[in-house]
Amino acid sequence: MLKCFKELYEDAKNIQKKDPAARTILEVLLLYPGFHALIFYKISHFLYRKRLLFLARFISQFGRFLTGIEIHPGAKIGRRLFMDHGMGIVIGETAKIGDDCTIYHQVTLGGTGKDSIKRHPKLGNNVLVGAGTKILRSYSNWRPCKNWRRKYCFKIDTIELYGSWRTD
């Protein structure tokens, strides 16, 4: 139980560090829906691992109702995830997210079809996913590129993908 509170405190400190608008830890604890979504996720993921699937999904959906962020209880999320302006984020059941990742609003880590095996993407450590990005299916391990000249740069095996942004 103490470990869980330490992890949540670590998450709150990470959000404060990454978001210049977050002035205090208390502000993060009370006002950041991305942090609240992590709390609901940790509770529902615990229940999911104990095979209390209905209760896990119920808590997950209640958290979605309150925060606008949907994280399936079966997803595996690393440490210090930062969901900035979290409205509309969807993280599927078999998705894996590494440590120190940042996800902006309207991001979908989703699957297609009814495959019972791995059908959602896997993000490596230190990956930034830009606003509005839709990553469907499990292609491979997304990880940061060495070339950071562009803001959103990822690699899937040897293919580099760059996020798009508007200049209007």
Side-chain angles (χ1 to χ4, degrees):
M1 185 71 139
L2 186 60
K3 180 185 173 194
C4 183
F5 286 118
K6 284 183 180 180
E7 287 177 4
L8 286 171
Y9 181 73
E10 182 182 44
D11 290 333
K13 294 256 323 162
N14 180 56
I15 292 169
Q16 183 190 17
K17 182 179 107 182
K18 287 185 175 181
D19 189 352
R23 293 173 200 63
T24 66
I25 297 273
L26 183 62
E27 186 177 352
V28 172
L29 294 173
L30 296 177
L31 303 176
Y32 275 69
F35 180 75
H36 300 149
L38 285 175
I39 292 171
F40 284 110
Y41 163 74
K42 288 177 188 282
I43 295 167
S44 64
H45 185 67
F46 172 80
L47 295 170
Y48 187 85
R49 286 183 301 161
K50 297 294 183 189
R51 308 295 298 160
L52 298 169
L53 304 180
F54 178 80
L55 187 57
R57 286 294 300 220
F58 182 80
I59 290 172
S60 166
Q61 292 301 305
F62 182 68
R64 174 184 171 219
F65 174 76
L66 293 178
T67 65
I69 300 170
E70 181 177 351
I71 306 173
H72 193 283
K76 293 187 174 129
I77 297 178
R79 298 171 56 194
R80 297 178 300 276
L81 173 64
F82 176 39
M83 294 178 281
D84 197 13
H85 303 287
M87 182 59 78
I89 293 175
V90 177
I91 300 172
E93 180 180 18
T94 60
K96 290 184 182 178
I97 300 174
D99 297 337
D100 300 305
C101 290
T102 301
I103 299 176
Y104 288 99
H105 61 281
Q106 294 295 324
V107 168
T108 300
L109 303 177
T112 59
K114 291 246 182 215
D115 295 335
S116 60
I117 55 172
K118 182 87 173 110
R119 60 188 186 279
H120 297 91
K122 176 183 177 186
L123 301 181
N125 297 332
N126 301 304
V127 173
L128 182 147
V129 183
T133 303
K134 310 297 181 223
I135 305 173
L136 302 176
R137 303 187 64 167
S138 176
Y139 292 110
S140 183
N141 184 15
W142 291 67
R143 56 195 180 278
C145 292
K146 292 181 182 174
N147 177 2
W148 278 95
R149 283 179 282 157
R150 298 194 185 206
K151 190 169 184 180
Y152 309 118
C153 174
F154 302 100
K155 273 189 177 180
I156 305 177
D157 292 329
T158 58
I159 303 167
E160 291 189 6
L161 299 178
Y162 298 96
S164 60
W165 52 89
R166 283 192 242 171
T167 57
D168 46 338

